Amino acid sequence: TIKMDSNFWNARYKEEEYAYGTKPNDFLKSHILILKPHAKVLCLAEGEGRNAVFISENNHDVTAIDYSQEGLNKLNALAKEKDISIKTICADLSDYKIEPNTWDAIICIFGHFPPQLRKSVFSQVYSGLTKDGVLLLEAYHKDQITYKTGGPQVSDLLYSAEELQHDFSEFENISIETQIKYIEEGKYHKGTSAVIQVIAHKI
């Protein structure tokens, strides 16, 4: 198996083209209006910034975190091209603490973490949100292993509804859906895919 670490991502993001394109993820795009106006948004494992840039273009205040400096360099280039500003943090999520009661929205699009890190990061989301804050997450479901159209080909790095239900158990208002859909996001996410989508509101 490929070790997915910052070296892996730096190498992938060093390529000239955007690995996952520059257009926003369609799940995020279709739910952007859920965010309160001028929301303070944290994007986890944001990579090259296509989603952070889209959120910022919708007049929100965005902070993007990723452990790949190459990814964040491309995020900054894309933001500059669109004449917007995004705060970036180059850090490993295992070293980063989500500040309590700070974010109006936390976004995680195809952020795939090993089980221990997943539990640690996701356990901080509820407390990190402000009242009426929202979590939007889309990732590959464990069934994605049979499709081989993107994402890690390691079951441990893919998610199940049961795991996420457990990770986000503090939320009273949560929807977790799994679906099969066609994805076309750059050259690494292409084809029929098994995904899991989470929308959770902190009441």
Side-chain angles (χ1 to χ4, degrees):
T1 55
I2 302 166
K3 184 162 162 41
M4 316 267 282
D5 58 10
S6 57
N7 295 330
F8 170 88
W9 291 108
N10 279 325
R12 174 164 288 187
Y13 294 149
K14 244 190 159 87
E15 295 172 17
E16 196 170 326
E17 66 183 291
Y18 279 69
Y20 304 101
T22 54
K23 293 190 174 75
N25 165 267
D26 61 356
F27 166 73
L28 170 65
K29 195 175 172 182
S30 63
H31 291 95
I32 190 72
L33 295 176
I34 288 178
L35 275 56
K36 56 179 89 162
H38 306 293
K40 194 174 172 187
V41 182
L42 176 64
C43 293
L44 299 172
E46 176 52 24
E48 299 167 309
R50 63 196 173 101
N51 296 311
V53 163
F54 168 73
I55 296 165
S56 182
E57 286 181 304
N58 280 271
N59 301 314
H60 299 296
D61 172 11
V62 184
T63 297
I65 180 166
D66 200 278
Y67 64 2
S68 164
Q69 188 57 55
E70 292 290 343
L72 296 177
N73 292 345
K74 279 165 102 172
L75 179 157
N76 288 324
L78 190 59
K80 195 174 171 187
E81 197 183 297
K82 309 266 191 182
D83 204 22
I84 51 177
S85 90
I86 291 169
K87 185 182 175 205
T88 58
I89 299 169
C90 187
D92 191 314
L93 283 170
S94 55
D95 304 321
Y96 178 79
K97 290 281 163 278
I98 298 177
E99 278 188 65
N101 206 30
T102 300
W103 305 98
D104 300 316
I106 294 177
I107 312 290
C108 187
I109 303 295
F110 295 112
H112 289 272
F113 315 119
Q116 282 312 107
L117 182 60
R118 188 199 84 230
K119 288 173 196 162
S120 145
V121 173
F122 291 171
S123 71
Q124 299 173 58
V125 167
Y126 182 84
S127 66
L129 289 170
T130 54
K131 187 179 180 310
D132 302 322
V134 63
L135 161 72
L136 290 177
L137 176 148
E138 180 171 66
Y140 286 115
H141 185 269
K142 287 197 186 297
D143 291 349
Q144 174 64 4
I145 227 138
T146 60
Y147 290 91
K148 300 189 178 15
T149 49
Q153 292 298 298
V154 184
S155 182
D156 264 4
L157 293 171
L158 300 167
Y159 302 156
S160 72
E162 295 71 33
E163 286 170 350
L164 297 184
Q165 195 77 54
H166 190 266
D167 292 344
F168 298 124
S169 59
E170 289 168 281
F171 286 94
E172 286 155 19
N173 182 344
I174 183 165
S175 131
I176 300 179
E177 278 188 26
T178 56
Q179 57 167 269
I180 305 300
K181 69 174 195 179
Y182 186 82
I183 294 181
E184 195 163 348
E185 299 180 337
K187 66 175 177 178
Y188 293 107
H189 283 178
K190 215 173 195 133
T192 302
S193 310
V195 299
I196 189 157
Q197 299 171 336
V198 180
I199 303 172
H201 295 267
K202 181 172 179 175
I203 299 164

